[in-house]
Amino acid sequence: MAITDTAQDLTNFDEALKIRYAKAITQYIERTVALYGMLEKKKQGWTGKHFLVPVNIRTPNTVGARAHSGNLPSGGADVYVDAKIVAKYNYCKVKAFNTAEAHSSGKAGAWATVRKQVLKNAAADLRDSLNRQLNWGSDGILCEANSSGLTVTIKTYGDSIANTTGDAPDTTKLLRVGMRVCWGSYLTAGVLEFAAVSPVAKSFGQVSSITSKTVFVVTNTGGGAAPVAGDVFVIGEGLGIEDHSLTHELTGVSEMIDDSGTFENIASATYPEWKSQMFANPDGAGTERELQEDDITQMLDAISTESTGSASDLLLFGHHSTRRAYANSLKSRNAERFKPTKVKGGYSREYLTFHYDGSDVPLVDDKMAKHRTLFAMSKAHTSIYEVKPFSWDSSSGGTWKWDGSQDAVVAFGKIYCDLGTDNRAAMGAIEDIAVTGITK
């Protein structure tokens, strides 16, 4: 007599995966990825290929005092340009072996528990990836080598950066053991690796160990040349553009808040108004300085002048060490402005604040943020442009699919979005802040 095992309710669990766990992961991302949770989600301007956002780049001077019989000020047309925000695509893939199901078939609910744990791990990995991207930027540079060979010493604070973005994390904090990475020179003159038109890596492999905050070891699976000084590392598992993350990741704060280059298809050389308020170290880059209250006030003044939002829309953002530097500066003055507040929006979290123009501006800290820099922005001009929130793919009729080569099932989740602004001048940064306690 044939016996059918009905203990594992595949259909109902499949729906639970799509409904319950997709929603739970979305809430998890909003709760743990600070910027994603705090910024408004927008869909306006989607063309089917990218977002087009009209930017009021220049406003004519149409005000003036006159005598009682004087002429009205001349009315001029505002100058608008379209900012192009390209949607970025992030995925997480999970696999559960059917042997685990068989071993647990006699235990009620064990099948679901196995897959639930796999999904939790996937959510944590996706959280870390989104968090990293929103802090750093679309190039996805994890670090830049300062040595040759498979034991890599990276460039740190104060070192000269070779890649043309002029930026790279100064510790190994973005790396993980087992992470699949590609490497190569990035737009270095005369070298084709990671070139703009066809970004092809030199080789690829895995991070086998992380020795310290400045040294890690990588395997060379791809068989190409080993890393040399000036090579950058990105996430990937192949040489071609379809196998690595270079230029495909989300726009990050450190990329968006800048006073040079072309951003969202608008050139700051053509429109000087399309520049952030950058407060570089007067003693020169690469030299630490104390974070002063006057510096923060000047930055918020500059942003407020350029913003159509209010002081309540302002947000300060930085690494834990930057937050600590600010707290220490307050404590040294008897903590007269040190007052934690609570921001409630589905969860509670305490922030340091900076009192400005009648509002307490929160200072949000994040472990993935750039070291030694305090960023500021107006939430009135900064949004997550979202084509599709997180969801599990069910295009083949079900969420769990047979792997095709192993006794296992796979599922993959996806989120289509990017960080964008309609006013780059309504944000700024204070650089080269003296900090302590950077362990990684």
Side-chain angles (χ1 to χ4, degrees):
M1 181 179 70
I3 299 176
T4 302
D5 182 4
T6 59
Q8 316 302 345
D9 189 347
L10 304 184
T11 302
N12 288 338
F13 186 78
D14 198 66
E15 288 303 310
L17 174 68
K18 289 187 288 186
I19 298 171
R20 176 181 175 181
Y21 293 119
K23 180 179 179 181
I25 289 177
T26 299
Q27 293 173 339
Y28 179 64
I29 291 171
E30 289 184 344
R31 188 173 66 252
T32 57
V33 182
L35 284 176
Y36 185 87
M38 296 187 73
L39 296 177
E40 180 185 0
K41 313 300 185 298
K42 286 187 176 180
K43 295 182 180 292
Q44 296 92 330
W46 177 245
T47 67
K49 184 178 181 181
H50 48 244
F51 293 92
L52 283 181
V53 180
V55 172
N56 181 204
I57 203 74
R58 194 169 296 164
T59 300
N61 294 319
T62 56
V63 298
R66 298 289 190 272
H68 75 89
S69 58
N71 297 320
L72 294 177
S74 299
D78 287 5
V79 177
Y80 281 86
V81 294
D82 282 336
K84 185 168 73 173
I85 302 170
V86 180
K88 305 296 177 58
Y89 312 112
N90 274 274
Y91 302 91
C92 66
K93 183 178 179 180
V94 298
K95 177 186 290 189
F97 284 89
N98 291 322
T99 50
E101 175 189 345
H103 290 312
S104 61
S105 60
K107 301 176 182 178
W111 185 85
T113 301
V114 169
R115 283 154 174 76
K116 181 179 179 180
Q117 186 60 49
V118 171
L119 297 178
K120 284 183 177 180
N121 293 339
D125 290 343
L126 182 61
R127 169 205 63 192
D128 288 344
S129 180
L130 292 176
N131 213 11
R132 175 183 59 77
Q133 294 176 46
L134 286 172
N135 276 288
W136 288 93
S138 59
D139 287 300
I141 295 174
L142 303 172
C143 62
E144 182 172 301
N146 202 24
S147 64
S148 298
L150 298 179
T151 298
V152 183
T153 299
I154 70 168
K155 293 188 176 180
T156 60
Y157 177 69
D159 288 334
S160 177
I161 300 298
N163 76 78
T164 54
T165 69
D167 206 3
D170 58 1
T171 72
T172 55
K173 71 175 183 177
L174 302 185
L175 300 172
R176 299 287 184 273
V177 174
M179 180 181 284
R180 295 174 173 85
V181 293
C182 301
W183 60 84
S185 59
Y186 182 51
L187 295 180
T188 303
V191 181
L192 295 179
E193 298 153 7
F194 285 162
V197 177
S198 180
V200 178
K202 177 188 295 183
S203 193
F204 59 93
Q206 283 186 310
V207 176
S208 58
S209 65
I210 300 175
T211 306
S212 69
K213 66 179 181 180
T214 59
V215 179
F216 70 99
V217 180
V218 66
T219 60
N220 191 349
T221 308
V228 297
D231 282 355
V232 297
F233 288 78
V234 299
I235 290 179
E237 50 191 344
L239 300 177
I241 189 173
E242 67 279 2
D243 291 320
H244 59 69
S245 298
L246 183 72
T247 72
H248 300 311
E249 296 196 336
L250 298 179
T251 298
V253 170
S254 61
E255 174 187 13
M256 178 172 64
I257 301 179
D258 199 355
D259 60 356
S260 63
T262 297
F263 180 72
E264 293 181 358
N265 215 39
I266 302 175
S268 58
T270 304
Y271 299 102
E273 299 91 340
W274 193 240
K275 294 181 179 181
S276 302
Q277 316 299 319
M278 304 300 290
F279 292 82
N281 189 350
D283 295 329
T287 303
E288 289 186 322
R289 56 170 168 166
E290 184 182 357
L291 179 61
Q292 300 285 349
E293 184 176 351
D294 286 346
D295 295 332
I296 302 177
T297 300
Q298 290 175 27
M299 178 170 63
L300 295 180
D301 280 344
I303 291 173
S304 182
T305 299
E306 299 293 338
S307 173
T308 58
S310 64
S312 61
D313 295 316
L314 295 173
L315 173 68
L316 294 168
F317 192 81
H319 185 257
H320 299 327
S321 58
T322 304
R323 176 188 184 275
R324 188 162 54 249
Y326 173 57
N328 289 338
S329 72
L330 295 178
K331 291 176 182 178
S332 67
R333 295 192 298 274
N334 298 319
E336 72 273 20
R337 292 177 178 82
F338 184 78
K339 182 182 178 182
T341 61
K342 284 190 176 181
V343 177
K344 295 183 179 179
Y347 66 101
S348 295
R349 179 174 177 171
E350 292 188 351
Y351 298 104
L352 278 178
T353 61
F354 185 87
H355 192 76
Y356 175 78
D357 198 20
S359 294
D360 289 331
V361 179
L363 194 163
V364 181
D365 57 305
D366 193 279
K367 65 180 180 180
M368 294 288 188
K370 186 176 181 179
H371 296 146
R372 300 178 178 85
T373 303
L374 179 64
F375 296 102
M377 67 184 75
S378 172
K379 292 188 291 181
H381 297 288
T382 312
S383 303
I384 298 292
Y385 289 84
E386 192 171 66
V387 180
K388 185 179 183 66
F390 181 85
S391 64
W392 294 102
D393 180 79
S394 57
S395 56
S396 61
T399 306
W400 290 103
K401 307 167 181 64
W402 177 48
D403 178 76
S405 59
Q406 294 179 313
D407 184 15
V409 289
V410 296
F412 73 90
K414 52 195 176 182
I415 180 171
Y416 306 158
C417 65
D418 201 11
L419 176 68
T421 181
D422 62 2
N423 188 352
R424 201 183 190 193
M427 49 190 64
I430 300 171
E431 301 175 309
D432 295 305
I433 298 170
V435 298
T436 59
I438 296 179
T439 58
K440 197 172 179 182

